């Protein structure tokens, strides 16, 4: 090919190269820091993530080839690495002796193994994962609450939360998921008013708290009155002591004046006798 033909076909070649570059740029994927991409490619698994605790190589960039392309195609499952909250609200459970109540629970956790999570997680997203493991959380809630008397479910919410977390940990590890915290957000009666046991327990606890508060207020008032009486008594004692000291000082002063006057009179009498003696001589 001579120079003239090369110049003639150059625009077409440049266009093809540019089109190829655009395709490659569109396929380029940079995994966000809060996610890990697990890639299945020709029976091999590849992990791309910038978190060194999960991927020491810290490879976070790859080219996503559609799965329908032979030999080069791949399938990608994106796994979140941030803390995930799974809510199970308005769930009707039981306490001991089959007492019913509504329990609202929030489960918090993080993925510890993206490859296991990619294999085990139901669905392809967080919402599908939440729905897929809801039954596991529900079973943990029921197994835990039935161990507590209904009278204790309000006062021992933290113990119930700890029991749910202990029950979940082994099951959730199968999904490559660590449970970091469980919170019992709310406890209430069923909405159809079949029972009011939780409301009755709350009213009883509130009455006990109010009674204890009034008792403590009365004790504090009595202590304040005693302190005030003691302060008044001490003030009166100090006042009487001060008055006594003033009286004693006044007596000492008067006595000193009397002695001074008496001494002055004696001196005057001595002078008078001297004069009389001199006059007689």
């Amino acid at each position: 090919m001579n120079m003239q033909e090369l110049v003639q076909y150059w625009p077409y070649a440049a266009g093809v190269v540019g089109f190829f570059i655009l395709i490659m740029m569109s396929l380029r994927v940079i995994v966000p820091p809060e996610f890990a991409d697990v890639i299945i490619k020709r029976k091999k698994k590849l992990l791309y993530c910038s978190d060194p605790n999960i991927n020491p190589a810290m490879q976070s960039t790859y080219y996503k080839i559609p799965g329908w392309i032979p030999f080069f195609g791949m399938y990608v499952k994106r796994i979140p690495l941030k803390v995930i909250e799974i809510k199970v609200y308005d769930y009707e459970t039981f306490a001991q002796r089959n007492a019913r109540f509504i329990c609202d629970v929030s489960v918090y956790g993080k993925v510890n193994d993206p490859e296991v999570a990619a294999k085990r997680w139901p669905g392809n997203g967080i919402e599908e994962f939440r729905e897929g493991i809801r039954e596991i959380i529900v079973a943990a809630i029921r197994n835990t609450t039935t161990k507590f008397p209904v009278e204790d479910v309000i006062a021992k919410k933290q113990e119930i939360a700890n029991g749910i977390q202990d029950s979940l940990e082994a099951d959730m590890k199968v999904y490559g998921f660590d449970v970091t915290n469980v919170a019992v957000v709310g406890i209430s009666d069923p909405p159809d008013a079949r029972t009011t046991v939780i409301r009755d327990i709350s009213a009883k606890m509130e009455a006990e708290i109010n009674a204890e508060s009034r008792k403590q207020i009365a004790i504090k008032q009595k202590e304040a009155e005693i302190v005030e009486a003691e302060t008044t008594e001490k003030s009166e004692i100090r006042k009487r002591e001060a008055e006594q000291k003033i009286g004693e000082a006044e007596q000492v002063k008067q006595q000193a004046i009397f002695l001074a006057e008496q001494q002055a009179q004696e001196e005057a009498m001595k002078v008078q006798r001297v004069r009389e003696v001199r006059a007689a001589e």
Side-chain angles (χ1 to χ4, degrees), residues 10 49 53 71-72 86 94 100 132 135 175 184 227 237 268:
W10 170 251
C49 171
N53 296 321
F71 300 105
F72 299 101
I86 306 168
F94 299 87
R100 297 174 179 267
E135 291 302 320
Y175 293 91
V184 178
V227 171
I237 292 173

Side-chain angles (χ1 to χ4, degrees), residues 10-59:
W10 170 251
Y12 300 102
V16 172
V17 172
F19 179 71
F20 179 76
I21 293 174
L22 287 176
I23 291 177
M24 293 303 295
M25 293 300 295
S26 65
L27 297 177
R28 188 170 184 264
V29 176
I30 300 176
V31 183
E34 66 272 17
F35 291 94
D37 283 5
V38 179
I39 297 174
I40 301 174
K41 181 180 179 181
R42 298 181 66 181
K43 297 183 180 181
K44 292 192 303 182
K45 286 184 181 179
L46 302 174
L47 178 63
Y48 289 89
C49 171
S50 60
D51 188 341
N53 296 321
I54 295 177
N55 182 15
M58 297 179 63
Q59 295 177 346

Side-chain angles (χ1 to χ4, degrees), residues 201-262:
I201 292 172
S202 299
K204 179 183 176 182
M205 292 176 64
E206 184 177 354
E208 291 175 352
I209 292 172
N210 290 336
E212 183 64 23
S213 297
R214 290 194 295 270
K215 179 181 177 181
Q216 292 298 324
I217 291 173
I219 292 173
K220 294 299 182 183
Q221 289 178 343
K222 185 66 175 179
E223 291 176 351
E225 291 174 358
I226 293 173
V227 171
E228 184 179 359
E230 291 177 349
T231 303
T232 302
E233 182 180 0
K234 291 179 180 178
S235 177
E236 291 294 331
I237 292 173
R238 287 195 296 269
K239 183 179 178 181
R240 287 195 296 269
E241 290 176 350
E243 291 176 349
Q244 183 178 358
K245 290 180 180 179
I246 293 173
E248 292 174 353
E250 185 65 25
Q251 290 179 359
V252 172
K253 179 181 177 182
Q254 293 298 329
Q255 186 176 5
I257 293 172
F258 173 75
L259 292 175
E261 291 178 350
Q262 186 178 16

Side-chain angles (χ1 to χ4, degrees), residues 41-248:
K41 181 180 179 181
R42 298 181 66 181
K43 297 183 180 181
K44 292 192 303 182
K45 286 184 181 179
L46 302 174
L47 178 63
Y48 289 89
C49 171
S50 60
D51 188 341
N53 296 321
I54 295 177
N55 182 15
M58 297 179 63
Q59 295 177 346
S60 60
T61 304
Y62 63 94
Y63 292 92
K64 185 178 180 181
I65 309 299
W68 53 267
I69 297 178
F71 300 105
F72 299 101
M74 61 180 63
Y75 296 93
V76 180
K77 194 163 188 179
R78 177 159 287 182
I79 303 299
L81 302 179
K82 60 185 178 181
V83 175
I84 299 174
E85 179 185 8
I86 306 168
K87 296 180 180 179
V88 178
Y89 283 11
D90 300 325
Y91 174 66
E92 184 174 298
T93 185
F94 299 87
Q96 288 181 359
R97 300 192 300 274
N98 293 328
R100 297 174 179 267
F101 64 95
I102 299 296
C103 189
D104 297 334
V105 176
S106 287
V107 178
Y108 300 87
K110 292 182 66 176
V111 171
N112 60 37
D113 192 332
E115 292 187 6
V116 173
K119 181 180 179 180
R120 296 285 186 175
W121 274 29
N124 293 314
I126 296 177
E127 292 304 322
E128 293 175 331
F129 171 68
R130 288 190 176 109
E131 289 300 320
I133 65 169
R134 187 177 187 277
E135 291 302 320
I136 297 176
I137 299 175
V138 163
I141 293 173
R142 179 165 295 187
N143 291 338
T144 302
T145 57
T146 52
K147 299 176 182 177
F148 291 83
V150 68
E151 295 82 4
D152 294 341
V153 295
I154 295 178
K156 296 185 177 181
K157 287 198 297 184
Q158 187 58 51
E159 294 183 26
I160 294 174
N162 294 339
I164 295 172
Q165 182 170 348
D166 293 340
S167 179
L168 283 174
E169 284 180 348
D171 293 332
M172 298 304 293
K173 285 187 181 299
V174 176
Y175 293 91
F177 190 82
D178 276 340
V179 178
T180 57
N181 188 37
V182 174
V184 178
V185 180
I187 290 176
S188 59
D189 291 312
D192 54 6
R194 283 174 293 169
T195 176
T196 60
V197 62
I198 300 300
R199 185 175 62 186
D200 296 341
I201 292 172
S202 299
K204 179 183 176 182
M205 292 176 64
E206 184 177 354
E208 291 175 352
I209 292 172
N210 290 336
E212 183 64 23
S213 297
R214 290 194 295 270
K215 179 181 177 181
Q216 292 298 324
I217 291 173
I219 292 173
K220 294 299 182 183
Q221 289 178 343
K222 185 66 175 179
E223 291 176 351
E225 291 174 358
I226 293 173
V227 171
E228 184 179 359
E230 291 177 349
T231 303
T232 302
E233 182 180 0
K234 291 179 180 178
S235 177
E236 291 294 331
I237 292 173
R238 287 195 296 269
K239 183 179 178 181
R240 287 195 296 269
E241 290 176 350
E243 291 176 349
Q244 183 178 358
K245 290 180 180 179
I246 293 173
E248 292 174 353

Side-chain angles (χ1 to χ4, degrees), residues 272-281:
Q272 182 64 28
R273 283 197 297 272
V274 169
R275 288 176 179 174
E276 290 178 353
V277 170
R278 288 180 180 176
E281 289 177 350

